Amino acid sequence: MRPRVALVIGAASGMGRATALRLAADGWKVAAADRDEERLAGLAEQLEAAGAAGAMTLPLDLAGSAASVEAAVAEVVERLGPPWLLAVAAGVLEGGLALDADETHWQRVLGVNFHGVVRANVAAARAMVAAGEGGRIVNWSSNNAAGGTAGYAAYAASKAAMEAFSRSLAMELGPDGITVNTIRPGSVRTPMLGALTQAEIDAENARIPLGRFGEPEDAAGLVAFLASDDAGWISGADIPLDGGTLAARGRANVQQIRARLAREAGR
Ligand SMILES: NC(=O)c1ccc[n+]([C@@H]2O[C@H](COP(=O)([O-])OP(=O)(O)OC[C@H]3O[C@@H](n4cnc5c(N)ncnc54)[C@H](O)[C@@H]3O)[C@@H](O)[C@H]2O)c1
């Protein structure tokens, strides 16, 4: 089978970069897009060295216009072929208390995490439908979308809105053989969480049933699965990727629970 084309947006860093490299190693043709041109430099060569059947990088700001996103997809179609997989890792994390944040905060966060993802999905899905070969779309949500998050209302709302969009798109694109899913990472070790102190990291680890932060490669593996033939009947899902954090609902400290049960048993 000829190699398929993947367009990864947000590919300069973190989970997007790991995903682009994983798909390259799996033999895909990979188009790596990001607004950070500096960190994109040299990535096409790295993707080829990792095993990509073809690679290109392209500067792209999802917060720009729909026309610029459409032009980027057209460039991918021209140079590598129509994307069969779209993976949108691009996102911004910006805090702000709801009563303090001004309108521009909401616009910045929603502009990328919601409107930007919508632009990318629509432009790439049009190319997939035109190619008539089905396809896969994976959007990065967050486990923040599952509840509320003090200090990050715009972020949580942007991801929840994007999830509802993705589920709706999954319904609309089903007849074309295109699946649409979101992944909901918990805490993953990427530059996005670079500001955490060691004390905060230790406290977070204690809340995660599997006892560690995720690695960017954990996300890459999930995307590789969602892009595989084995995942052809999964669509409209929001898939946790968080070491069990959501399931634990904040009560994951098994050491404490064991100690309490032992105390109770000794009573
Ligand atoms: N790291 C975590 O713990 C975590 C947890 C939950 C969800 N997420 C989500 O996972 C996704 C990937 O995050 P990451 O941790 O790898 O972060 P990261 O900061 O390492 O990478 C994000 C990439 O997106 C790019 N980007 C941002 N705005 C863009 C725009 N307007 N247009 C194009 N590219 C843009 C950045 O330049 C960067 O390269 C994000 O959507 C994020 O919200 C991350």
Side-chain angles (χ1 to χ4, degrees), residues 10 34-35 61-63 88-95 104-114 116-117 140-142 144 152 154-156 158-159 192:
D34 203 289
R35 71 174 172 189
D61 184 355
L62 282 189
V88 190
V92 287
L93 177 70
E94 183 182 309
T104 60
H105 165 73
W106 284 85
Q107 282 158 6
R108 276 193 304 276
V109 177
L110 274 284
V112 179
N113 296 357
F114 176 64
V117 178
W140 263 253
S141 180
S142 162
N144 293 84
Y152 293 88
Y155 182 76
S158 70
K159 295 293 191 183
M192 189 173 273

Side-chain angles (χ1 to χ4, degrees), residues 83-212:
W84 191 79
L85 168 65
L86 171 71
V88 190
V92 287
L93 177 70
E94 183 182 309
L97 290 168
L99 301 198
D100 297 340
D102 61 16
E103 290 280 322
T104 60
H105 165 73
W106 284 85
Q107 282 158 6
R108 276 193 304 276
V109 177
L110 274 284
V112 179
N113 296 357
F114 176 64
H115 294 292
V117 178
V118 171
R119 283 181 194 115
N121 280 216
V122 169
R126 283 190 179 136
M128 290 176 191
V129 170
E133 295 178 351
R136 305 282 163 89
I137 296 177
V138 182
N139 295 322
W140 263 253
S141 180
S142 162
N143 66 5
N144 293 84
T149 310
Y152 293 88
Y155 182 76
S158 70
K159 295 293 191 183
M162 187 274 283
E163 285 188 356
F165 162 76
S166 301
R167 289 190 295 272
S168 307
L169 192 64
M171 296 171 66
E172 296 187 14
L173 296 180
D176 293 292
I178 299 167
T179 70
V180 186
N181 295 291
T182 74
I183 65 176
R184 284 179 167 177
S187 295
V188 180
R189 234 160 37 96
T190 71
M192 189 173 273
L193 295 190
L196 291 183
T197 64
Q198 191 55 48
E200 286 169 329
I201 292 172
D202 292 344
E204 181 66 4
N205 276 335
R207 282 194 328 115
I208 303 171
L210 283 171
R212 66 163 176 91

Side-chain angles (χ1 to χ4, degrees), residues 23-76:
L23 295 168
D26 288 350
W28 289 68
K29 290 184 185 174
V30 182
D34 203 289
R35 71 174 172 189
D36 187 336
E37 291 189 49
E38 251 173 57
R39 283 201 279 182
L40 272 185
L43 182 56
E45 292 74 17
Q46 278 184 45
L47 291 168
E48 269 161 12
M56 64 183 281
T57 55
L58 65 167
L60 174 63
D61 184 355
L62 282 189
S65 64
S68 64
V69 180
E70 279 160 22
V73 171
E75 195 183 331
V76 175

